[in-house]
Amino acid sequence: MRALYAGGVRKGASVRAGGSIRSRTSVAGSAAEEGTSRAAEPSLLEAQRISKRFGGLSALADVSLSVNAGEIVGLVGPNGAGKTTLFNCMLGVVRPDSGLVYLQGRRIDSMPVWKRSRLGIARTFQRLEVFTGMTPREHFIVAMRVSRRQGGLFKDLMGRGLPTAPEQAAAQEMLDLVGLVEVADVTVEALSLGHARLVELGRALMLDPLVLMLDEPSSGLDGREREMVGAILKRSGAERNVGVLLVEHDLQMVSDVASRLVVLDSGRVIAEGGVAEVLALPAVRKAYLGTP
Amino acid sequence: MTQFLQYALPGVPLGCVYALMAAGLVLTYRAAGVFNLAFGAQAYISAVSLYIAVANGWPIWVGALLSIGVVSPALGFVLDRVIFRHTRNASPFVTLVPAIGLLVVLPSAVDIIFGAGTRINPPSLFLSARTVYFSVAGLAVNGTELSTTIITVAIVAILWGALKFTKLGLAMRAVVESARLAELQGVRSGVIGAMAWILSSLLAGLAGVLLAPLYATLSSLNFTDLLVAAIAAAAFGAFVSLPFTLIGGVLLGIAGEMIAGYLPPGSVWSAGLPSALPFIVLLVMLVVRPTFRVRREVVDPMQSCEAPPRSLEIPRRARVVFVGSRALGAALAVAFAVSLLTWIPHNWAFTLGQGIVYSIIFLSIVLLTGMSNEISLAQATFAGIGAFTAGQLANHFGFSVLVGALAGTAVAAAVGAVIAIPTARLSGIALALATLGFALVMSDIVFPFSWAGNGGSGITVPRPQIGPISFQSTRTFLVLASVALLVVAVIVALLRSGTVGRELGAIRGSEVGAESIGINTRGMRIMTTALAGGIAGLGGALYGSLEQSVSANDFGYEVSLVFVVVVAIVGVRTISGAIEAGLSFAVLSQVISTLPSRFSSLLAFILGLAALTYVRHPEGVVDFTKRWIAGWAEKLTDRSRGSPGLSGISPGGSVHGGSVAGDRGDLSGDSAGDLSGDRFGPGEGSWTLFGGIAGPKEGGD
């Protein structure tokens, strides 16, 4: 069977060096944390009691959330519920006022964004953050380069900085997977919104992540592309044991792919559980759909 | 207390002078979206027109009316129509280059048209300049000081109210955010943009006429210096707030006078520190104020209906042209090397040497600006660090000058890294200004010391010697310099095609995106600045060795400005661009120096004019010509016939620079087959069609 994406040898989580990472046990000490009863196997990505205020507005209040390996968790809620802020807090783009973030049991909440990414968290953005001036192919190659940490100043100076054949092949395979072969060598600013979203998705997958955090990946996509993205997510979870946290307004897509749903409203988790049950809750229907 | 007041009070009118210029900067920045480094030059034009009018016997009020009411607004209008109309919502570098160009071209145009003579005692418009009206704490307050203070406060108040409370002010701010969105709301962005420029130019005219009598002679340099100080005042208000700008200006004025008063007279410190104070303040402000750390520029929400910018590489070219140009290039290089060593006269060999050394320095700009989109206005300063380190080591410690040059490279790289640590957070205009501040601090405070550049008298730098091989003669030195250029060019080429280049490209494209895939953007920035500093330092050391004597004047901030403009014009994205820029700059300087003295400003004038073309061709002259030749070659070889559009969409509709989006879209949908086709998904021109209907984008047909 063909690998989902050409990632070569899957890196074990323990191989991922990330500089001086304090292990979770060494920093554990807060009473709140000791009190939490946790399974012996920590979940893949876990946010504990994240709070963030913007001036007078409480964007997030004590939000906790976890994603297990191979699981697709849908994060839904009306606009302004705090979904993107939660993403940004978990990834370090925004510093939360309080709260802890763990990846595989390691505390990561004091790390800069790029270190968290190197530990295995990949993301896409609600408002596009593609590399203008570069083509989709170049996006994938640079992402692969960085995640493998196989390049650098000295390698460049030795003249060994050009894309290698395996890298080219991996990029080609990813282009194939996300359906961008036709526009592989067009700079991204000439692409439509939907194609650019797929570039971001492909770039995130190229990192061969442990966790994939997707912020409204389907907005701007047409029906066929949505189905494709859904299929890619399912396969990532099933074949490569990737945990996916999915912010999405398209409830059809969420219920198709997600195994668990977390509903956020006004910065609070108002419901959590299986997709069908949660969507049937009156509170959720009221907050999200406007009909009780 | 009295002594304190005696030192502090004269600072107030001086501070108001800073504030008046700074208010003009803030106005242009908020109302027209351009950080207008040419503001001082505009003020100079107005002051000169008043001077000439009065010198021709016109009444002073007629002259004032003419210069403030006619010349200045007209200049503003022309600038908007010719240049800045095309840069609305463009990146900071795109607007900075023509602004620097204007800074150079306007005064040199005056010199060329009216002659470069000195103009003594500029006329004072209001209260009699030298009359003492009253005194405070035993200090005489004369007419100039009084009128500047009153008028500055009044103008800042009026501008503040106008921007905040009038409809025009609101419209101007909207156009700066997004000209297209403003148009969709019914604002005529073209008219509003022109108004902003007319208004700001009028303010420049007023400032020019008011400030000219502060100095004994009318010189554009005074205005430029004032402007750079005004930038620091504007930084107090984060380039946005007018009241804070006024406060900042006055504080700066007072602090400058106090420092001058309390420092021991006659030392290097007392000569350099007061004039460099604004730049130290500017540096500190930029690094400390959180506003400037926001790296994201304002993004026009309607950007998507803009044609994608021309890609800076040539997409494809006919094999004939490719092979032909390579062969021609190689033949020229061989012919060049042979002639160099045989028949070229000494002074031209020297000029070529300069060209090669400039090319090395310019490669640092390619690395910084071309590859990582960082604007540094301090590359000449790094060159100076390299030159002085090499010279001092050779003179005082008996090192070989080549070892000195390597040490200079290392020192410049280290200084670059140290500077980058605080400034790595900044981007765009804030970074450009921080580097400008650094350049000024170095040239005003550090380079004058005898252990550094020894001020205007300078130091000597010997020609190198490796064992028995001497590079005393210019020709042999040329060979050495060429080897150095080759090495640096190969290094830059390797970095560009390798991981570093790709990561820098990613950061240039999206900083947030780059962090999200694990790129340490701060670390990359520090590394690039250090590398570029090192390259410039090596170039500087070689420059010193070629010239055999260098002084602080060779590495002033204005030199850096010229460097950036030259490279931008010729091509900031390519290595060949830097080399062609270096050679042509040296040759052009040499040619112009042989002309009569009236034309001494011609180089500046030509450069300035060329900088104005940058708006239309940001890819640079080299790439433009290549593209042009390639285009013709394609036509001749008839290869373009039948080639599909870039994104594989059928032809017609509005043309996006080669690719085509929105195929002949008319709403009935009966004439265009693919509009009424099976599906109407994204990426098939639906957005562009919308844009075409709403109007903000011009159709290609």
Side-chain angles (χ1 to χ4, degrees):
Chain A
M1 192 181 79
R2 193 178 71 108
L4 172 61
Y5 31 84
V9 186
R10 179 91 162 97
K11 281 174 293 179
S14 54
V15 182
R16 291 165 193 272
S20 59
I21 302 149
R22 288 170 291 170
S23 78
R24 189 182 152 242
T25 43
S26 70
V27 285
S30 76
E33 192 196 329
E34 297 293 340
T36 336
S37 65
R38 292 155 55 87
E41 183 96 350
S43 52
L44 184 59
L45 179 68
E46 182 165 1
Q48 282 182 6
R49 312 198 57 173
I50 304 253
S51 294
K52 176 73 191 174
R53 300 182 73 87
F54 292 115
L57 177 83
S58 171
L60 293 173
D62 270 354
V63 174
S64 298
L65 182 120
S66 69
V67 181
N68 294 317
E71 181 189 39
I72 301 180
V73 178
L75 178 61
V76 300
N79 283 326
K83 304 181 297 286
T84 300
T85 304
L86 179 61
F87 258 45
N88 287 339
C89 285
M90 288 171 78
L91 286 158
V93 179
V94 171
R95 195 138 282 220
D97 299 332
S98 64
L100 308 171
V101 185
Y102 294 97
L103 181 71
Q104 291 186 316
R106 288 170 167 166
R107 252 189 85 174
I108 59 168
D109 46 76
S110 55
M111 287 180 191
V113 181
W114 59 271
K115 265 194 189 168
R116 300 186 201 207
S117 161
R118 286 189 180 185
L119 285 178
I121 307 180
R123 77 169 294 187
T124 66
F125 296 85
Q126 182 186 16
R127 299 175 75 172
L128 290 175
E129 293 287 354
V130 287
F131 304 143
T132 46
M134 290 169 70
T135 66
R137 196 189 297 281
E138 287 166 343
H139 274 74
F140 298 164
I141 289 177
V142 73
M144 189 168 178
R145 252 317 148 74
V146 176
S147 71
R148 298 281 168 89
R149 268 157 285 151
Q150 280 169 350
L153 188 58
F154 293 102
K155 255 197 174 161
D156 285 358
L157 292 180
M158 293 294 114
R160 285 158 56 206
L162 288 172
T164 58
E167 282 174 335
Q168 293 280 16
Q172 184 62 44
E173 202 160 340
M174 183 56 73
L175 287 166
D176 217 22
L177 182 76
V178 295
L180 290 174
V181 175
E182 276 179 29
V183 291
D185 298 305
V186 181
T187 51
V188 281
E189 50 279 37
L191 298 184
S192 68
L193 179 66
H195 280 160
R197 285 216 186 280
L198 294 174
V199 172
E200 279 202 347
L201 177 66
R203 181 179 71 186
L205 289 173
M206 274 319 257
L207 298 178
D208 192 10
L210 298 169
V211 189
L212 203 51
M213 297 174 68
L214 306 177
D215 203 344
E216 299 194 16
S218 80
S219 79
L221 300 189
D222 63 29
R224 183 177 45 100
E225 287 165 338
R226 279 177 202 218
E227 283 171 23
M228 183 184 72
V229 169
I232 292 174
L233 296 185
K234 281 185 184 171
R235 283 177 63 188
S236 298
E239 291 176 17
R240 300 182 72 81
N241 220 19
V242 176
V244 180
L245 184 59
L246 175 70
V247 166
E248 185 54 70
H249 280 307
D250 180 2
L251 289 179
Q252 184 61 49
M253 178 170 172
V254 176
S255 38
D256 277 351
V257 300
S259 51
R260 199 152 58 84
L261 210 54
V262 176
V263 186
L264 213 57
D265 187 27
S266 311
R268 270 171 232 285
V269 175
I270 58 167
E272 192 173 352
V275 178
E277 306 93 87
V278 166
L279 282 181
L281 291 173
V284 173
R285 298 184 68 82
K286 185 159 180 272
Y288 199 40
L289 306 172
T291 52
Chain B
M1 186 61 198
T2 320
Q3 198 192 15
F4 175 81
L5 271 183
Q6 273 181 347
Y7 287 150
L9 270 182
V12 175
L14 183 64
C16 282
V17 169
Y18 294 159
L20 187 58
M21 295 286 268
L25 278 179
V26 171
L27 176 76
T28 330
Y29 192 55
R30 284 185 73 185
V34 173
F35 201 87
N36 187 10
L37 283 178
F39 193 82
Q42 282 172 267
Y44 175 66
I45 295 280
S46 153
V48 169
S49 21
L50 177 62
Y51 186 92
I52 289 171
V54 171
N56 285 332
W58 298 18
I60 188 163
W61 62 271
V62 176
L65 211 62
L66 184 78
S67 58
I68 304 173
V70 181
V71 173
S72 302
L75 181 63
F77 181 72
V78 170
L79 292 187
D80 178 68
R81 289 293 97 182
V82 176
I83 306 165
F84 293 102
R85 183 162 63 105
H86 305 286
T87 67
R88 267 178 211 138
N89 311 129
S91 79
F93 188 66
V94 173
T95 56
L96 201 63
V97 170
I100 296 175
L102 282 173
L103 175 73
V104 185
V105 82
L106 292 178
S108 50
V110 169
D111 283 356
I112 289 172
I113 297 169
F114 299 107
T118 24
R119 302 185 174 84
I120 312 162
N121 277 338
S124 175
L125 194 51
F126 291 97
L127 306 170
S128 168
R130 313 273 178 241
T131 312
V132 173
Y133 284 84
F134 56 86
S135 46
V136 182
L139 268 174
V141 176
N142 69 28
T144 316
E145 290 167 348
L146 199 60
S147 57
T148 351
T149 309
I150 295 170
I151 290 174
T152 304
V153 174
I155 285 177
V156 168
I158 292 170
L159 283 180
W160 177 76
L163 272 180
K164 195 148 185 141
F165 299 116
T166 69
K167 221 176 163 181
L168 180 66
L170 186 68
M172 285 177 178
R173 277 150 52 200
V175 170
V176 168
E177 292 290 320
S178 166
R180 286 197 191 78
L181 272 187
E183 268 185 7
L184 288 176
Q185 299 295 324
V187 174
R188 294 173 66 181
S189 70
V191 176
I192 297 295
M195 298 274 283
W197 272 98
I198 290 173
L199 195 60
S200 120
S201 187
L202 194 128
L203 193 65
L206 192 60
V209 168
L210 280 178
L211 305 184
L214 291 176
Y215 299 94
T217 60
L218 189 55
S219 148
S220 65
L221 286 180
N222 292 337
F223 284 99
T224 316
D225 286 353
L226 265 186
L227 182 87
V228 189
I231 295 173
F236 271 91
F239 305 140
V240 173
S241 158
L242 284 167
F244 275 103
T245 301
L246 178 62
I247 295 169
V250 172
L251 284 180
L252 267 180
I254 293 176
E257 290 291 319
M258 305 244 309
I259 286 175
Y262 284 111
L263 274 181
S267 68
V268 176
W269 286 106
S270 69
L273 195 57
S275 62
L277 177 77
F279 321 124
I280 300 174
V281 172
L282 174 67
L283 263 176
V284 172
M285 276 288 170
L286 287 170
V287 172
V288 169
R289 277 197 76 133
T291 328
F292 297 115
R293 288 198 208 134
V294 182
R295 288 200 59 105
R296 303 189 77 171
E297 304 291 328
V298 175
V299 176
D300 182 358
M302 293 286 285
Q303 218 168 25
S304 58
C305 67
E306 177 102 23
R310 216 185 291 246
S311 91
L312 288 166
E313 311 288 332
I314 306 162
R316 64 203 153 95
R317 46 183 168 176
R319 165 160 260 129
V320 185
V321 182
F322 183 76
V323 175
S325 62
R326 283 293 149 99
L328 191 67
L332 279 178
V334 171
F336 172 73
V338 170
S339 357
L340 203 61
L341 295 171
T342 51
W343 62 271
I344 290 183
H346 175 265
N347 62 335
W348 277 101
F350 189 79
T351 304
L352 287 172
Q354 282 182 322
I356 288 170
V357 173
Y358 285 138
S359 303
I360 297 178
I361 300 175
F362 290 176
L363 277 172
S364 76
I365 298 175
V366 168
L367 180 64
L368 264 186
T369 308
M371 282 166 62
S372 33
N373 225 17
E374 307 271 300
I375 311 171
S376 163
L377 301 180
Q379 288 317 103
T381 307
F382 286 112
I385 294 173
F388 296 142
T389 311
Q392 297 283 8
L393 283 180
N395 294 341
H396 296 295
F397 301 97
F399 281 96
S400 152
V401 73
L402 283 180
V403 177
L406 291 180
T409 309
V411 172
V415 173
V418 170
I419 278 301
I421 290 169
T423 60
R425 291 200 184 92
L426 305 172
S427 72
I429 291 295
L431 179 68
L433 295 177
T435 54
L436 184 64
F438 165 69
L440 280 153
V441 170
M442 291 298 284
S443 65
D444 279 13
I445 299 185
V446 180
F447 287 172
F449 280 108
S450 59
W451 50 260
N454 201 19
S457 37
I459 62 166
T460 60
V461 185
R463 288 271 170 89
Q465 171 110 25
I466 303 176
I469 315 163
S470 159
F471 294 97
Q472 284 298 327
S473 85
T474 304
R475 279 192 185 146
T476 45
F477 184 82
L478 258 179
V479 177
L480 185 73
S482 305
V483 171
L485 173 62
L486 188 70
V487 170
V488 173
V490 166
I491 288 177
V492 174
L494 285 174
L495 290 181
R496 193 167 66 157
S497 62
T499 313
V500 171
R502 275 159 213 282
E503 292 188 4
L504 290 178
I507 297 173
R508 190 177 60 214
S510 161
E511 171 120 20
V512 182
E515 292 246 329
S516 85
I517 64 167
I519 296 175
N520 179 358
T521 52
R522 196 177 144 83
M524 288 297 287
R525 265 210 185 85
I526 294 171
M527 189 186 85
T528 331
T529 315
L531 272 174
I535 293 175
L538 177 66
L542 290 173
Y543 177 82
S545 186
L546 174 72
E547 298 275 339
Q548 290 177 296
S549 137
V550 279
S551 74
N553 298 338
D554 292 326
F555 305 108
Y557 75 95
E558 66 283 358
V559 182
S560 292
L561 293 183
V562 171
F563 281 179
V564 164
V565 167
V566 172
V567 185
I569 298 164
V570 183
V572 74
R573 301 289 297 269
T574 52
I575 290 164
S576 61
I579 295 174
E580 282 166 57
L583 293 176
S584 48
F585 182 57
V587 170
L588 199 61
S589 315
Q590 170 71 16
V591 170
I592 285 170
S593 69
T594 61
L595 294 177
S597 66
R598 185 184 174 82
F599 295 102
S600 58
S601 309
L602 197 61
L603 178 64
F605 187 71
I606 292 172
L607 281 182
L609 273 191
L612 306 188
T613 69
Y614 179 79
V615 173
R616 297 289 184 86
H617 297 291
E619 75 270 26
V621 174
V622 171
D623 208 48
F624 174 75
T625 352
K626 276 187 191 162
R627 209 180 281 277
W628 191 76
I629 293 171
W632 272 102
E634 297 267 311
K635 269 187 195 156
L636 291 177
T637 52
D638 208 19
R639 271 157 192 259
S640 61
R641 199 161 284 262
S643 71
L646 271 182
S647 44
I649 303 162
S650 49
S654 66
V655 178
H656 272 188
S659 83
V660 177
D663 182 2
R664 249 177 263 119
D666 59 338
L667 277 178
S668 63
D670 53 3
S671 66
D674 37 342
L675 274 190
S676 51
D678 49 357
R679 208 161 32 81
F680 196 63
E684 314 206 354
S686 37
W687 261 111
T688 311
L689 178 68
F690 262 134
I693 295 166
K697 176 177 180 312
E698 289 162 26
D701 299 281

